[in-house]
Amino acid sequence: MDAQSRGRAEGADPADQWVLNPRTGDYELRLDGGAPPPAPSVPRQRTPQAPGPRPGGPRERDPGPRDGDDDTAPDGPRDAHRRKRRQPKTSGRRKALMWTGGVMGLVLVGGSAFAYYWWDRLGGNIDTVDIGDVGSATVLGDGPANILVIGNDVRTGEGNEAYGNRDNVTGHADTTLLFHVAGDRSNATVVSIPRDLMTEIPDCETRQSDGSTKTIPGSEGRTKFNESYGVEGRDPGCTMRTVEQLTGLDVDHFMMFDFNAVKTLSTAVGGVEVCLEEPLKDTSGGTKLDLPAGKTTIQGEEALSFLRNRHGLKNESDLDRIGMQQKFVASMLRRLKEDTLGSPTKMLDVADAATKSLTVDQAIGSPGKLLTLAKELGKIDLKNITLMTLPVIDNPDEPRPVTVVPDPAKAPQVFSMLQDDVSFTEVKKQKKKAKDKQDALLKGARAEASAVRVDVLNGGGPQGAAGETVTWLQNSQGVSRSANQGNAPAKVSRTQLVYAPDQADQARKLADLMGLPAAAMKPTAEAGGDAPMTLTLGPDFTKAGVPVATPKKVDVPQSRADEKMCKA
């Protein structure tokens, strides 16, 4: 009798054999009801966090670790394993879009049961990066969570010659997915960010191998999104900051994968079913991809070639390919649910394949912490996972557009819904815990209008909006202590009011006057004293006196993770 079946009651779910050890905070396998196995003896050392606020404005972060905390607890201090960084090398435009991150990230959502086998054997597979003070120090706290999945196009390893094998190159963020997980864990939204999206990349602090901190300058104007990682030494934390600036969301964690992950994972699950209306063949000769029309199961090298292919698609563009890739991911999720999760051996193979190509931030850099994350994400039904591409339009600054920019109307609506934790699916019996917590910021005492102190900036509203708003506040609403501060240092995705705890009564009064929704309220941790609050007007602001509303839906192409790629 093997170790997986020894002591197990007939018909028992293997997941039920795992219980929380109160001493360590980790989940452990108990097959016979006896004492828990000893915790892995892995020496760890703590990495001090950089002091002071991170670039991009104030943000309330989770409390950091204290001396004496248990290193094995899921929400404890970050592991000290550090990944050795390769020297960056700038490369030209690559035509192909790599999908590794999307495949792996959605696997965590749909196949959480195999995470029970991510333990001591798998811990050595996981690489971690110290990203300093960006992100969250806890695995998952209360309320919504945002996880960034980065597909790194580094092409080292056997079999990648067809894609331009480049040893000792850091790579770029060629595929990026933003996972927004609802606060009540009833639904999730997965937004694909095109690699050729033109956006601003902010300054970012990076940790060096000697423990020092280096600030990497941001872009001068807009540049391709994929340069947020790998260029000039930018680490995944820089990509996280770029997404935060783009969307107005706080990104909690990152997961990064490379080319080899698609090949090993698709093979570990026994192949992924795809359907084609017409035969698909790589006429360029770069790969050996040659698939017939109809239903086909692909894995390994063939799966990677399929995900990188654009030939035969509507416009043969990266945007068309993203849609096909999303269907592939949904098909893999169903394979995990219907076939893999019932086999401990297959689950172990999948976990081993996943972690061998995985790099994460230190806050989730151990099997126990990934287990905690996977268990929470596993609560989401596939039918309530929405997949979409960030709404974009052709870059108007290019005579013959080859890049894209956010859709000025639809992108802010998508960001606004995510910031308000509004589901893109009809979720029955959806809990309102997270939304109620945000709504509570508008409940309480109000200050007199004459006591409200606020600086107003324009971060994406109509031209002259800040000045017109201050005039309206002073002349019509009695807010005499308001001041026009002109344009904000950077654009925001939506209107936001940043205030200190001792300014809450002022914030609620201003929200009443301006018609601000609860999601616009951004309390900080430090006392404000006599300093003014900061109101930054975003693209959702139209005119002073007109309430800023959050949309309940937006007209963009969407799919669901439970939709079958092959109908018949």
Side-chain angles (χ1 to χ4, degrees):
M1 183 176 297
D2 60 22
Q4 302 295 343
S5 59
R6 183 167 52 246
R8 181 185 304 161
E10 184 176 356
D13 185 344
D16 293 336
Q17 308 292 323
W18 290 84
V19 296
L20 181 67
N21 185 330
R23 291 186 295 103
T24 66
D26 286 335
Y27 286 86
E28 300 177 352
L29 181 63
R30 300 191 190 183
L31 299 176
D32 55 4
S41 178
V42 181
R44 309 189 184 205
Q45 62 187 54
R46 304 181 188 276
T47 302
Q49 299 298 310
R54 65 177 178 83
R59 170 178 172 189
E60 182 176 359
R61 299 188 68 249
D62 298 301
R66 298 173 299 174
D67 290 340
D69 285 348
D70 186 350
D71 286 346
T72 61
D75 287 349
R78 301 181 175 190
D79 297 337
H81 299 296
R82 186 187 305 276
R83 185 179 187 181
K84 183 177 181 181
R85 296 176 182 158
R86 303 182 180 92
Q87 292 299 317
K89 177 181 178 181
T90 303
S91 61
R93 171 179 173 84
R94 291 177 293 279
K95 296 181 179 179
L97 176 67
M98 192 274 293
W99 182 247
T100 304
V103 176
M104 298 299 301
L106 277 176
V107 164
L108 291 179
V109 175
S112 65
F114 73 70
Y116 288 115
Y117 294 89
W118 288 10
W119 212 245
D120 194 35
R121 164 184 169 179
L122 305 176
N125 292 348
I126 305 170
D127 286 330
T128 65
V129 172
D130 182 356
I131 55 175
D133 64 349
V134 68
S136 173
T138 60
V139 176
L140 274 182
D142 293 333
N146 297 292
I147 303 169
L148 198 63
V149 180
I150 304 171
N152 178 4
D153 70 347
V154 65
R155 307 171 188 189
T156 57
E158 183 179 355
N160 291 327
E161 293 82 3
Y163 312 107
N165 196 325
R166 303 192 307 272
D167 289 329
N168 299 320
V169 176
T170 302
H172 298 78
D174 264 14
T175 297
T176 304
L177 294 174
L178 175 64
F179 278 75
H180 173 79
V181 184
D184 62 7
R185 311 299 184 244
S186 68
N187 66 90
T189 304
V190 184
V191 181
S192 298
I193 302 176
R195 53 162 283 180
D196 291 334
L197 177 76
M198 298 299 288
T199 188
E200 294 181 356
I201 299 175
D203 296 348
C204 62
E205 293 184 350
T206 61
R207 293 293 178 87
Q208 306 301 298
S209 58
D210 61 0
S212 63
T213 299
K214 178 181 179 181
T215 298
I216 308 297
S219 61
E220 296 182 2
R222 295 190 301 185
T223 190
K224 288 184 181 180
F225 175 83
N226 71 332
E227 295 184 11
S228 63
Y229 172 74
V231 175
E232 303 295 335
R234 295 183 181 125
D235 64 8
C238 299
T239 306
M240 293 171 67
R241 296 181 196 272
T242 302
V243 172
E244 289 186 336
Q245 179 169 287
L246 173 67
T247 66
L249 295 162
D250 290 336
V251 179
D252 298 287
H253 304 292
F254 84 87
M255 298 179 180
M256 185 166 63
F257 305 87
D258 59 26
F259 264 26
N260 297 311
V262 170
K263 296 188 288 187
T264 57
L265 185 64
S266 61
T267 301
V269 300
V272 178
E273 190 177 80
V274 298
C275 288
L276 301 173
E277 294 182 1
E278 299 178 359
L280 179 60
K281 185 174 183 178
D282 182 5
T283 57
S284 68
T287 68
K288 298 179 181 180
L289 185 66
D290 188 1
L291 302 177
K295 186 184 300 185
T296 306
T297 299
I298 59 177
Q299 62 182 8
E301 193 71 39
E302 198 171 46
L304 178 58
S305 298
F306 174 80
L307 292 176
R308 300 183 66 249
N309 175 72
R310 290 187 300 182
H311 177 72
L313 303 182
K314 182 179 180 181
N315 297 312
E316 297 194 352
S317 69
D318 288 342
L319 297 179
D320 292 329
R321 179 164 44 188
I322 287 176
M324 290 291 292
Q325 293 166 340
Q326 290 172 346
K327 294 178 180 178
F328 178 92
V329 170
S331 183
M332 174 174 282
L333 288 178
R334 287 190 297 275
R335 180 73 178 222
L336 282 165
K337 289 280 190 181
E338 297 169 1
D339 179 67
T340 307
L341 299 185
S343 168
T345 301
K346 289 184 178 180
M347 287 192 288
L348 185 57
D349 289 342
V350 169
D352 194 40
T355 53
K356 281 182 178 178
S357 301
L358 175 65
T359 301
V360 299
D361 57 277
Q362 292 182 336
I364 55 173
S366 72
K369 294 171 183 177
L370 286 172
L371 171 61
T372 299
L373 178 62
K375 283 174 66 65
E376 284 296 303
L377 299 181
K379 298 176 182 178
I380 305 172
D381 194 306
L382 292 184
K383 67 181 180 181
N384 292 329
I385 299 176
T386 302
L387 301 93
M388 68 175 66
T389 302
L390 173 67
V392 296
I393 60 173
D394 288 339
N395 188 351
D397 295 334
E398 297 174 339
R400 297 184 61 183
V402 294
T403 61
V404 295
V405 297
D407 187 306
K410 295 181 178 180
Q413 292 179 335
V414 170
F415 298 152
S416 180
M417 290 181 66
L418 295 177
Q419 291 163 357
D420 268 1
D421 201 23
V422 176
S423 174
F424 285 81
T425 63
E426 294 293 335
V427 182
K428 295 182 179 180
K429 298 180 180 180
Q430 181 177 1
K431 299 178 182 178
K432 301 297 183 182
K433 180 179 178 181
K435 190 175 187 303
D436 289 345
K437 184 177 180 180
Q438 187 70 24
D439 288 344
L441 297 176
L442 292 176
K443 298 178 181 179
R446 266 70 172 163
E448 295 293 330
S450 59
V452 174
R453 301 182 301 276
V454 60
D455 285 342
V456 183
L457 299 91
N458 190 351
Q463 185 174 1
E468 292 176 3
T469 298
V470 169
T471 299
W472 178 80
L473 286 172
Q474 292 179 348
N475 297 340
S476 301
Q477 305 302 315
V479 185
S480 58
R481 303 172 74 178
S482 56
N484 174 17
Q485 298 297 335
N487 291 330
K491 290 185 177 181
V492 294
S493 61
R494 65 174 299 170
T495 299
Q496 61 183 30
L497 176 60
V498 178
Y499 62 95
D502 56 350
Q503 299 170 327
D505 57 342
Q506 297 181 50
R508 287 189 284 264
K509 180 62 177 181
L510 187 63
D512 292 343
L513 298 175
M514 297 286 299
L516 301 179
M521 309 295 281
K522 304 293 182 183
T524 62
E526 299 179 359
D530 294 331
M533 302 180 294
T534 302
L535 174 65
T536 305
L537 306 176
D540 55 348
F541 178 82
T542 56
K543 184 180 180 181
V546 177
V548 179
T550 300
K552 299 303 179 184
K553 61 180 180 180
V554 59
D555 183 19
V556 296
Q558 305 170 28
S559 62
R560 305 288 180 263
D562 66 333
E563 295 175 1
K564 291 186 177 181
M565 190 176 188
C566 303
K567 302 298 183 182

